[in-house]
Amino acid sequence: MYAQMVDTGAKKLRSPEEMTPEERAFQARVDADIKIEPKDWMPEAYRKTLIRQISQHAHSEIVGMLPEGNWITRAPTLQRKAILMAKVQDEAGHGLYLYCAAETLGVSRDQMVADLHSGKAKYSSIFNYPTLTWADIGAIGWLVDGAAIMNQIPLCRCSFGPYSRAMIRVCKEESFHQRQGFDIMIKLCRGTPEQKAMAQDALNRWWWPSLMMFGPPDASSVHSAQSAQWKIKILSNDELRQRFIEQTVPQADFLGITMPDPDLKWNPERGHYDFGAIDWSELYEVVKGNGPCNRDRLRARVEAWENGAWVREAALAHAAKRAAAAEKAA
Amino acid sequence: MSREWPLWEIFIRSQHGLAHKHVGSLHAPDAEMAIKNARDVYTRRNEGVSIWAVRSSEIAASSPGEKGPLFEPASSKVYRHPTFFPMPDEVKHI
Ligand SMILES: [Fe+2]
Ligand SMILES: [Fe+2]
């Protein structure tokens, strides 16, 4: 998802007997759905895993501004441009809510940024694909934000207070993102044959990467079991992916375009859609840094950070000067 | 590496006359910028009509360890709630 394959440091799931009294008390609070707050005692592995997960989520919001930002200057109308700017600005906000939540766990903002820039911290694989046409902006809102909603709604109930509150705030804003994307798709699909072909082409390119966003099957992974026990992961990757497919296929039917998957069909016995095999080697390559845009994305982030350094320093110097003058006047 | 901008806690008063409510935090070099940034980060959809920004380092907080001594004394004083006093059905407006 926005946080994919998060390492919990766990080798195996521990039973209550194997836990220290503090850990047992902590787990009992989590089990009782009592939120864990930053100053409460927590296992070190819980704290570290959350820093990894929340910072990865934050980085995804920030890097996620780049593929869409690519079309702001070329949006087809002034209104579409204003809408896209508002959408991208929301993503900046989401990144900031999440960085703040991670900072309550004792990691500094600068450290998180440094980890992103060095490649130590990851962001979602989906943002390493290019936005080639305007239809991609529609497909991203519809599919990528749609997948994000699927993942983020359960996280509103997660055990860590600041993360849960950030997710509630984010979820209130996501629905606009998905609808503006679907609205672009509707316009294109009701347009000329060329426009409809653009929409189909965007779906062809974004469908499989969107399904990969949920991460590889993890029902038997020890990290997922640990995250589930801590209630920082609520549903398995495959469950989320299946739900996403279920809600999205009828929407594509409405648009009159088709998923690029010949094996996708309703299975009345299962009461679910069956779908074709996902090429996981592609996901692993993208996560390793070999997607179509990985280098571009990271370069853009590092450049923005470095080019902004003098502004951050000047603002601090200005604030210090004004504070000194105020003190002198007092 | 240069110094990080300090952290500010942001409180917003919504339109309906309620008290300022904590919404989150952000980094800013000074109070003026904290309020400007808070406008963009926390009120993009008319969530508020007033913003407070307080340096995080200036906030004093009770510690989770004191929870017992601080809050337990109130839990035995159930008579502070009106429901402690059942009223006869015939008695109205009370
Ligand atoms: Fe977002
Ligand atoms: Fe979004």
Side-chain angles (χ1 to χ4, degrees), chain A residues 184-198:
Chain A
I184 292 173
M185 298 304 276
I186 292 178
K187 285 280 171 342
L188 289 169
C189 291
R190 288 179 182 163
T192 63
E194 288 83 357
Q195 286 169 330
K196 189 164 183 186
M198 260 172 71

Side-chain angles (χ1 to χ4, degrees), chain A residues 80-140:
Chain A
R80 289 285 184 198
K81 181 177 183 159
I83 292 169
L84 184 56
M85 284 204 306
K87 198 270 187 192
V88 171
Q89 193 191 12
D90 273 355
E91 305 301 1
H94 296 178
L96 294 178
Y97 310 153
L98 286 157
Y99 282 131
C100 290
E103 284 175 89
T104 65
L105 291 160
V107 63
S108 75
R109 180 79 59 97
D110 278 359
Q111 186 59 52
M112 287 188 274
V113 171
D115 287 347
L116 171 69
H117 294 176
S118 73
K120 188 181 162 211
K122 301 284 178 213
Y123 56 87
S124 176
S125 56
I126 194 75
F127 302 118
N128 290 309
Y129 292 86
T131 42
L132 303 179
T133 73
W134 172 251
D136 290 22
I137 301 306
I140 288 180

Side-chain angles (χ1 to χ4, degrees), chain A residues 2 61 90-91 94 145 148 152 170 174 177:
Chain A
Y2 274 27
E61 304 284 354
D90 273 355
E91 305 301 1
H94 296 178
D145 289 89
Q152 289 170 158
V170 164
E174 286 292 1
H177 298 178

